[in-house]
Amino acid sequence: MSDAGDAPVHVLGLAAAPGRSLGVVRRVSWDIAAPPHRTIQPGDIDVEIERFERARAEAIEGIRVLRERTASTLGEVEAKIFDPQILMLEDPELVEGTRRYVRENFLAADRAFDWRITEIRMQMLDTAHLMMADRLADLMDIRVRVLSHLDGRGADTLGLPAEEAVLLFEDLTPSVAVRLDPARVLGLVIGAGSRTAHSAILARSLGMPTVVGVGSGLSRIPDGATVLMDGDTGRIVVNPGEPEIRAYHEMEERLTEWRSQFWERPPAPVSTADGRSIHLRANLDQPHDVRAAERVGAEGVGLFRTEFLVIGQRVIPSEQEQYDAYRFVLEGVPGQPVTLRTFDIGGDKFPLFLDMPPEENPYLGWRAIRVCLDLPDLFRNQLRAVLRAHADYGRMRILLPFVTSLDEVLRTREILAEVAADVGCGDEDVPLGIMVETPAVVETLDLLAPHIDFVSLGTNDLSQYTLAVDRGNARLAHLADPLHPALVRMYHRIHRAASAGGLDIGVCGDLASNPIGLSVLVGLGYRDFSLAPTSIPEIRELLGTLSATDLAELCEDLEDPERVSTLKPRLGDYLRDTVPFETSRFSR
Ligand code: PEP
Ligand code: MG
């Protein structure tokens, strides 16, 4: 609540993960003040080095505890995110370098360690590689840990508050996002990013209301202020007044009651008001997400992003490790299909075991299927794990990301056949599909169709590549409109081409969790959607109120300039007139 004199301040960002929160905001920064310059007597060298060693050991222990906790709450794959930090703290470059500054320059341990960290940080920044964002976050984490042990505070976290709070970050990398405890994080407010950035996707799967792209608005949210934040609209009220707080509590009560009526369900197709069957499947960012998918009654997994097996890792995950992760997911949705997407690395997601050169335009660079085809051992390893899981459970489908040419599909088929012969199963019984997320594929679906079994529409990247809008650039986020007329027309053509080519077609991009976006897709004939598990209950409820026939009429004649330009407002009016509840609650 606002103190007398603190007028409410309104800040606008981009809605990134649903839900609203009221709470105290805590600014989380990776920084800790640089220790003052302090020299020691030559006779104190051993004592000082011992002090450093003790702080280092305590920091490693703290990370191990966190790692174990993560393994038991989220799983082994997620827990591995901490391994690079332990390795960094054991790296002779860091350890010996610090000892040398103590021995040769008579620096106090904290000053020596901080100097060494600064040097390593400079070397990383010099490479100007996007991959360094995650590594820098790790380096800054260990800096905070060791320095806080050296100054006696003994923090074992990254400076995260122990109490419940809305956390405010300048930026948030996926490896930091996965460490947040959803039980204590009321919400996230992030200066950078857009709603399709991977940290935002992760926040959605962790169920944390999130507003991104706040930019300079961050400076208007003081640490310790009370905020009311809405991850569905991107609105943040700093120092909310009494009427706003009352309205918030009333709305939350209504929603809790509403949700309790339809939250948990067994998997089954959903019907529109006029009886069309629609399939709702789950998007998983990590194996653990399958629990939520099962709880909300998803009909299997429509997109299993596998990057989290490799992102930030120093060694390629073994075939067995991958098999275990895939099996975990298959067992989490008994009897249902699991569409596994092969490593979509590059762009903003980097494993540390690959020497990925810095690129001017990483989203147009060495990414996804291009990397896998260039590194056949990495690709084979993953395909072997998938085929073994398929041989054991028979419900896998393989989805290739970022395809732009037939050649990529044919080369994948060759590798798949080799791996299948090796594993001792037939490659032809695993359905192979591609993401439709580049304009090149939209234009050549007829050429590709005879060589694939299904397609999945990736509206996030297709919007980025069609509109020439970087999906990670908060400044451009208002231009990243997945319902731009160019895209709506594309969705129409894609559906037509896939049907003509006899391909199964689904949608796994985020557009399907937006009420207007979903209505357009249903109107164009799409019937199979894959969503973040947290979006499934509300979207299921919404679908039950929509008429596919009405929507098809509203989406007719989109070649007509007038019809296509007015599509969004026409559908907005339709939803307002037809749906008996507030859709802005979950529209983005
Ligand atoms: C997409 O591009 O729409 C998609 C679903 O894939 P990702 O968001 O993982 O790039
Ligand atoms: Mg994509």
Side-chain angles (χ1 to χ4, degrees):
M1 200 196 314
S2 65
D3 294 336
D6 280 342
V9 174
H10 294 261
V11 178
L12 192 61
L14 301 161
R20 301 192 316 154
S21 279
L22 174 69
V24 170
V25 78
R26 290 286 169 218
R27 204 169 260 269
V28 181
S29 128
W30 309 119
D31 239 1
I32 186 167
H37 184 77
R38 187 166 68 84
T39 49
I40 55 166
Q41 297 300 319
D44 290 337
I45 289 176
D46 289 346
V47 174
E48 213 51 25
I49 288 183
E50 205 177 296
R51 223 162 63 78
F52 166 60
E53 288 304 336
R54 207 168 35 244
R56 189 168 74 89
E58 283 166 342
I60 291 175
E61 183 52 28
I63 299 169
R64 291 221 163 98
V65 169
L66 212 53
R67 190 195 188 289
E68 268 168 41
R69 206 185 305 151
T70 309
S72 62
T73 52
L74 288 179
E76 185 54 28
V77 170
E78 292 78 2
K80 283 180 69 173
I81 282 176
F82 295 98
D83 292 347
Q85 292 197 3
I86 295 176
L87 288 170
M88 269 182 180
L89 278 168
E90 287 168 347
D91 188 340
E93 277 217 39
L94 174 66
V95 178
E96 202 30 61
T98 302
R99 288 186 194 140
R100 211 171 39 242
Y101 279 138
V102 176
R103 258 195 319 264
E104 295 171 12
N105 298 61
F106 305 114
L107 287 181
D110 42 6
R111 184 69 173 169
F113 173 73
D114 203 30
W115 259 36
R116 192 62 201 124
I117 287 276
T118 305
E119 284 172 347
I120 295 173
R121 182 163 185 268
M122 289 322 220
Q123 285 162 12
M124 286 183 177
L125 286 173
D126 266 358
T127 66
H129 195 310
L130 256 183
M131 176 164 83
M132 285 304 151
D134 276 346
R135 295 199 64 193
L136 275 173
D138 284 329
L139 190 74
M140 292 303 105
D141 284 354
I142 64 165
R143 174 179 179 273
V144 173
R145 283 174 205 278
V146 173
L147 287 181
S148 56
H149 281 293
L150 276 167
D151 76 7
R153 273 181 283 170
D156 71 339
T157 69
L158 306 163
L160 297 171
E163 72 282 9
E164 283 188 348
V166 173
L167 303 187
L168 189 142
F169 293 87
E170 288 287 341
D171 198 0
L172 179 65
T173 62
S175 66
V176 173
V178 84
R179 284 174 236 178
L180 301 175
D181 174 2
R184 278 188 294 162
V185 178
L186 297 175
L188 297 172
V189 174
I190 304 170
S194 70
R195 73 172 312 276
T196 46
H198 285 89
S199 48
I201 290 170
L202 202 49
R204 280 198 287 285
S205 79
L206 289 167
M208 296 186 269
T210 301
V211 176
V212 300
V214 178
S216 58
L218 277 195
S219 62
R220 298 165 63 213
I221 312 177
D223 189 47
T226 298
V227 295
L228 184 53
M229 60 160 297
D230 190 336
D232 296 288
T233 61
R235 277 194 268 274
I236 301 163
V237 187
V238 187
N239 306 322
E242 201 52 61
E244 281 151 320
I245 292 179
R246 202 171 330 110
Y248 164 80
H249 285 305
E250 281 169 12
M251 174 71 123
E252 285 307 295
E253 254 172 55
R254 275 207 303 280
L255 283 169
T256 309
E257 196 194 321
W258 184 48
R259 281 205 174 124
S260 67
Q261 294 165 19
F262 63 84
W263 192 259
E264 298 200 2
R265 294 264 172 109
V270 179
S271 290
T272 57
D274 56 341
R276 298 297 162 76
S277 279
I278 308 262
H279 302 283
L280 292 184
R281 313 189 196 278
N283 284 357
L284 311 187
D285 292 316
Q286 310 169 73
H288 175 80
D289 294 343
V290 76
R291 297 262 185 262
E294 199 217 351
R295 223 172 19 250
V296 298
E299 288 184 77
V301 174
L303 171 64
F304 177 16
R305 295 182 170 98
T306 56
E307 296 78 75
F308 283 84
L309 282 162
V310 291
I311 200 169
Q313 296 301 317
R314 279 175 194 262
V315 284
I316 297 180
S318 70
E319 180 190 318
Q320 186 60 35
E321 232 175 302
Q322 295 190 48
Y323 172 85
D324 289 344
Y326 307 158
R327 187 181 59 181
F328 181 83
V329 169
L330 284 157
E331 288 181 353
V333 281
Q336 303 287 341
V338 171
T339 301
L340 176 142
R341 189 174 69 188
T342 57
F343 297 134
D344 188 2
I345 46 186
D348 66 347
K349 294 172 283 188
F350 305 98
L352 300 179
F353 54 77
L354 287 186
D355 184 18
M356 300 187 84
E359 293 178 307
E360 289 283 330
N361 293 301
Y363 276 114
L364 301 180
W366 199 46
R367 189 186 157 184
I369 188 69
R370 296 174 184 174
V371 176
C372 287
L373 288 170
D374 282 354
L375 301 173
D377 287 348
L378 176 73
F379 202 18
R380 275 204 188 94
N381 202 30
Q382 182 170 40
L383 294 176
R384 272 184 69 90
V386 177
L387 288 185
R388 277 179 52 206
H390 183 69
D392 292 346
Y393 293 85
R395 296 184 267 120
M396 278 279 194
R397 307 197 316 161
I398 298 174
L399 178 61
L400 306 177
F402 194 52
V403 168
T404 52
S405 73
L406 175 59
D407 182 55
E408 288 159 341
V409 173
L410 296 179
R411 286 169 63 200
T412 300
R413 282 244 178 248
E414 272 170 33
I415 297 175
L416 200 57
E418 284 165 26
V419 173
D422 215 23
V423 170
C425 67
D427 62 317
E428 63 289 339
D429 61 79
V430 191
L432 178 69
I434 60 170
M435 295 283 297
V436 179
E437 56 184 351
T438 63
V441 158
V442 178
E443 293 300 326
T444 52
L445 216 43
D446 56 333
L447 309 185
L448 290 150
H451 306 278
I452 52 180
D453 304 298
F454 69 97
V455 288
S456 189
L457 173 58
T459 55
N460 309 339
D461 272 317
L462 189 58
S463 303
Q464 156 164 272
Y465 295 123
T466 304
L467 303 176
V469 171
D470 175 351
R471 64 190 269 184
N473 186 337
R475 201 169 178 160
L476 302 180
H478 63 288
L479 297 177
D481 175 12
L483 289 173
H484 184 290
L487 284 156
V488 171
R489 285 179 172 167
M490 273 187 179
Y491 305 150
H492 183 37
R493 291 196 349 255
I494 293 163
H495 190 271
R496 242 186 2 217
S499 307
L503 299 172
D504 264 0
I505 181 159
V507 181
C508 64
D510 289 329
L511 184 63
S513 52
N514 167 313
I516 296 188
L518 178 80
S519 305
V520 170
L521 293 165
V522 171
L524 293 175
Y526 290 85
R527 299 288 180 260
D528 197 319
F529 302 102
S530 192
L531 319 162
T534 45
S535 297
I536 289 180
E538 286 160 328
I539 289 297
R540 178 197 287 126
E541 202 65 7
L542 174 67
L543 280 164
T545 69
L546 300 176
S547 153
T549 316
D550 288 353
L551 293 174
E553 271 170 27
L554 286 159
C555 293
E556 268 172 9
D557 301 327
L558 294 179
E559 292 311 311
D560 176 338
E562 169 71 14
R563 293 275 298 170
V564 77
S565 342
T566 57
L567 182 63
K568 250 199 284 187
R570 284 190 291 114
L571 280 162
D573 289 346
Y574 172 80
L575 290 180
R576 255 187 307 280
D577 293 346
T578 318
V579 181
F581 46 81
E582 186 52 69
T583 57
S584 66
R585 176 64 191 81
F586 51 103
S587 71
R588 287 178 275 281

